[in-house]
Amino acid sequence: MREIERKKITEKIREMCMSVNVELSPDVKAALERGSEKEASETGKQIFSQLKENLKIAKEDRIPICQDTGMTVVFLKIGQDVHVVGGSIEDAVNEGVRRGYTDGYLRKSVVRDPIERENTKDNTPAVIHYEIVPGDEFTITVAPKGFGSENMSRLVMLKPADGIEGVKQVILDTVAAAGPNACPPMVIGVGIGGTFEKCAILAKKALTRSIDSESDVKWVADLEKEMLDKVNALGLGPGGLGGRVTALGLNIETYPTHIAGLPVAVNICCHVNRHITEKL
């Protein structure tokens, strides 16, 4: 049995919260470069230039890439042979978020109650997803999610008869309805299958996968490529001002589902698709 001290989880998440908000992962930065080269419109090229300059300033001055430093989403992959000592995992995560957002002078955007709207003043609690796996690994993914793009996301319970064409239409309709409000160029995560809540988690998890990767399932990989092309063919472009590059990437995750259902979730993110993964 491998033991991990609670304080190590807290310190690691503190560091990750601060770093992920000031520097994008290599896959997203590379996708921005490719998008900049592909974009044909002059306005779009100017927007890409501004986005890259913003990234440079954020990295050099260690200030947030975006003023919306998001609600912190944390995926934990925990080996069944790991024992956390010194306190609960949930408390360790939230303390790490609290310290990261306080010590990093990051905007606190979480309210304690969805109706009463009192700010918690430390960006907690985080949204935590747990996965128990064989072995003794402990992997942390931190993915702060801004709400300009989050608000443009969508979940639809299709009928099985709607099939893959229905899935395609949901993706295109969601992106078209989002328009400039999702701050394109965007990254799109899609979840297909499971239940109402499972497909939403799949879509969120899809955003944490490298833009450079593709699904191991052939029809899913083909669909990722097809839908990225179709999304870009909508012509929304950078900033929603027209152009070839509406999305930098589109990832799809799937899960078995019920014979009577076809859940589909589309989680949209702006180009500031923040995600970082580290192991303890």
Side-chain angles (χ1 to χ4, degrees):
M1 180 68 71
R2 179 188 174 204
E3 291 189 348
I4 296 178
E5 294 183 6
R6 172 193 182 277
K7 64 182 181 181
K8 289 186 177 180
I9 300 171
T10 293
E11 183 55 32
K12 178 57 68 176
I13 289 180
R14 171 187 173 275
E15 295 171 358
M16 294 170 76
C17 285
M18 290 192 289
S19 65
V20 77
N21 274 295
V22 300
E23 187 172 1
L24 287 183
S25 56
D27 64 306
V28 181
K29 287 188 284 188
L32 272 172
E33 287 293 341
R34 291 194 299 269
S36 177
E37 294 169 1
K38 183 179 179 180
E39 184 51 63
S41 76
E42 286 304 315
T43 300
K45 286 182 177 295
Q46 290 177 9
I47 291 173
F48 268 110
S49 178
Q50 292 168 353
L51 294 179
K52 289 191 289 184
E53 178 65 15
N54 180 61
L55 288 181
K56 180 175 181 291
I57 294 170
K59 180 180 178 180
E60 291 177 352
D61 294 350
R62 310 309 291 174
I63 55 178
I65 302 165
C66 177
Q67 53 82 26
D68 184 353
T69 51
M71 188 168 189
T72 311
V73 180
V74 178
F75 289 91
L76 297 177
K77 185 179 288 186
I78 306 169
Q80 62 187 15
D81 297 328
V82 170
H83 180 211
V84 174
V85 295
S88 77
I89 296 176
E90 187 165 337
D91 288 346
V93 170
N94 283 319
E95 183 61 23
V97 172
R98 180 179 297 110
R99 293 183 188 179
Y101 275 74
T102 301
D103 297 347
Y105 301 100
L106 304 172
R107 197 183 83 180
K108 289 78 175 176
S109 302
V110 175
V111 295
R112 193 175 310 280
D113 184 276
I115 301 301
E116 295 179 348
R117 315 298 293 183
E118 177 190 359
N119 198 297
T120 63
K121 298 182 174 62
D122 57 14
N123 223 58
T124 66
V127 175
I128 309 172
H129 301 292
Y130 300 90
E131 181 181 357
I132 306 300
V133 297
D136 63 358
E137 69 174 277
F138 195 103
T139 304
I140 304 168
T141 297
V142 173
K145 189 63 170 68
F147 262 63
S149 56
E150 187 80 348
N151 286 337
M152 296 297 105
S153 302
R154 187 180 178 206
L155 192 155
V156 180
M157 301 298 289
L158 294 178
K159 300 183 295 294
D162 292 321
I164 195 166
E165 294 305 318
V167 172
K168 293 177 184 179
Q169 198 60 52
V170 169
I171 296 170
L172 290 176
D173 288 349
T174 302
V175 174
N181 295 319
C183 297
M186 59 186 77
V187 181
I188 302 165
V190 180
I192 306 172
T195 53
F196 181 87
E197 81 284 1
K198 180 65 176 181
C199 72
I201 296 172
L202 290 171
K204 181 74 70 185
K205 190 174 183 180
L207 289 176
T208 69
R209 213 180 83 207
S210 173
I211 292 177
D212 300 324
S213 67
E214 64 176 38
S215 173
D216 295 331
V217 182
K218 187 179 185 305
W219 75 262
V220 179
D222 291 343
L223 185 61
E224 290 173 337
K225 295 173 185 174
E226 177 186 349
M227 295 314 300
L228 181 59
D229 288 342
K230 287 186 174 180
V231 163
N232 284 326
L234 292 173
L236 293 173
L241 299 174
R244 291 181 178 176
V245 185
T246 296
L248 301 173
L250 188 150
N251 291 341
I252 299 173
E253 296 291 327
T254 65
Y255 196 81
T257 192
H258 191 276
I259 57 172
L262 179 55
V264 181
V266 182
N267 196 196
I268 295 179
C269 190
C270 64
H271 81 280
V272 188
N273 183 27
R274 295 161 289 200
H275 56 89
I276 183 173
T277 299
E278 295 193 16
K279 290 185 178 182
L280 286 179

